[in-house]
Amino acid sequence: MLIRSPLKFESYGAVKIYDITRVVCLYGVDFERKHGVFNLTSEDLLKTAESTSIVIPVKNEDPLVLEGVLRAIPLHSPVIIISNSSQSPLDIYSSEIDLAKNIHQLSGRPVVVIHQKDPVVSELLKDGVPGLVDESEGVVRDGKGEGLLLGTLAAEGLNSKYVGYIDADNFIPGAVLEYALVYYTALSMSKSPYKMVRISWGFKGWYGSDLFLRRWGRVSGVVSNVFNYALSRGRRFETDIIKTSNSGEHAMSIELAKILNFASRYAVETHELVHILDTCYVRMKENACRALPNNIDVIQVESRNPHLHVEKGEVHILEMLVESLGSIYHSSMADQEVRASILKLLRELSYEEEPVKPRVYGYPNMNAKKFLNDILSRSEVSVAYGL
Ligand code: GDD
């Protein structure tokens, strides 16, 4: 893959946010580089793919669509499915296990499948990650953010250097392949051990409605604007640098994941940026930044394939907006003006309350390899093929 090297960036303390860049050519290795374009040698592509675990969070998606996603991920990357799908009355989870088993049998690739409500998982994490386990139910809480945290721990347990996240409700397998190639290529652009790649879908649409490919999503556009407003006010220089506040498809180094806080549910992607900027920009002088003396590189890439996913309705959109804005609203990034603008925006959407502060989980300091081994040796629901 050829990606335009992102030249323009803005520095906020130790955080370097690169302006959005684009995919120039979907596939190309061992290519003599033109000025201003980045690509990998086949050797580096393989090495990076092998060091990158791909985590797929899934909750009751169509197994046919999940199968397309699984088949699209390059074979050299280990796959980790974190499922919160139902086991009864309809056992969707068992279909996911069958898909994982099939793909392993046909290709030999390693696949790990962990159920979010696995009692072994909650037992192993209840002390290490305060708040993650719902006390009344005794299992890990619902939520995409919660799923990503489990997936990241499993990726660390597999000894991966990087972790990339790809949603399970993607109708275009070619787009999934593109996301993986963007991760390998863009992660290799940065020399910092602390780095993140965030994808902005070039075109997006919903499966089932009349096809119309939009440039801007209904959540990321709004939340990125609020984010930029907060950054602009704090620094007194107007900026529009953030384009990927809600990037569902993103990847990072495990080194960065280990100094992050993961937020619950759909606040997770926005909160990664909030946490990085809170610790390594706003509170950097208070010794809050564990990345120092390194920079944290945030690279934003616009993908080329259209992103077609399931239309889950207006309530779902509002839920994602409120949860993401809640992360900014309750952070050190937001002054009175920013908070007032968030409340105004929500009122225009007929949401009258203050957004709730998302639950936040610190990345646990534990032996991740042992965590994964313990799950796989003791669990009756989570499985691995080919490890
Ligand atoms: N493990 C797990 N646990 N996965 C979950 C859960 C959960 O509780 N809830 C949802 N998921 C999975 C879904 O099955 C899907 O694969 C992925 O997480 C994204 O969830 P969706 O509910 O489909 O989100 P979306 O497609 O509407 O929104 C996407 O885009 C937003 C930006 O516009 C997501 O990626 C958002 O996170 C993102 O902010």
Side-chain angles (χ1 to χ4, degrees), residues 117-176:
K117 305 288 178 184
D118 186 333
V120 179
V121 174
S122 49
E123 187 198 314
L124 295 170
L125 291 181
K126 68 176 183 310
D127 296 330
V129 191
L132 182 68
V133 174
D134 182 320
E135 278 175 14
S136 57
E137 292 181 12
V139 284
V140 171
R141 291 175 195 280
D142 289 327
K144 181 181 175 189
E146 286 75 357
L148 297 197
L149 175 56
L150 300 187
T152 310
L153 272 169
E156 191 196 347
L158 289 178
N159 215 12
S160 289
K161 194 168 166 197
Y162 305 117
V163 58
Y165 311 102
I166 296 187
D167 288 349
D169 62 337
N170 188 327
F171 283 82
I172 315 261
V176 172

Side-chain angles (χ1 to χ4, degrees), residues 54 56 63-81 94-113 173 176 383-386:
I54 301 291
I56 305 173
L64 185 66
V65 180
L66 172 65
E67 186 183 2
V69 171
L70 287 175
R71 286 180 184 235
I73 294 165
L75 277 178
H76 292 83
S77 289
V79 169
I80 300 165
I81 299 173
S94 68
S95 305
E96 294 166 357
I97 298 262
D98 288 345
L99 287 175
K101 196 168 165 185
N102 279 350
I103 201 98
H104 165 69
Q105 282 173 344
L106 293 171
S107 66
R109 75 173 321 150
V111 188
V112 176
V113 191
V176 172
V383 290
Y385 300 104

Side-chain angles (χ1 to χ4, degrees), residues 198-199 219-227 242-248 266-273 300 324 328:
R198 301 173 70 92
I199 289 182
V219 179
S220 218
V222 176
V223 180
S224 290
N225 277 346
V226 172
F227 217 124
I242 305 265
K243 308 284 193 318
T244 55
S245 60
N246 291 66
S247 173
Y266 294 106
V268 61
E269 295 105 1
T270 305
H271 195 77
E272 288 163 1
L273 290 178
Q300 306 178 92
S324 307
I328 302 175

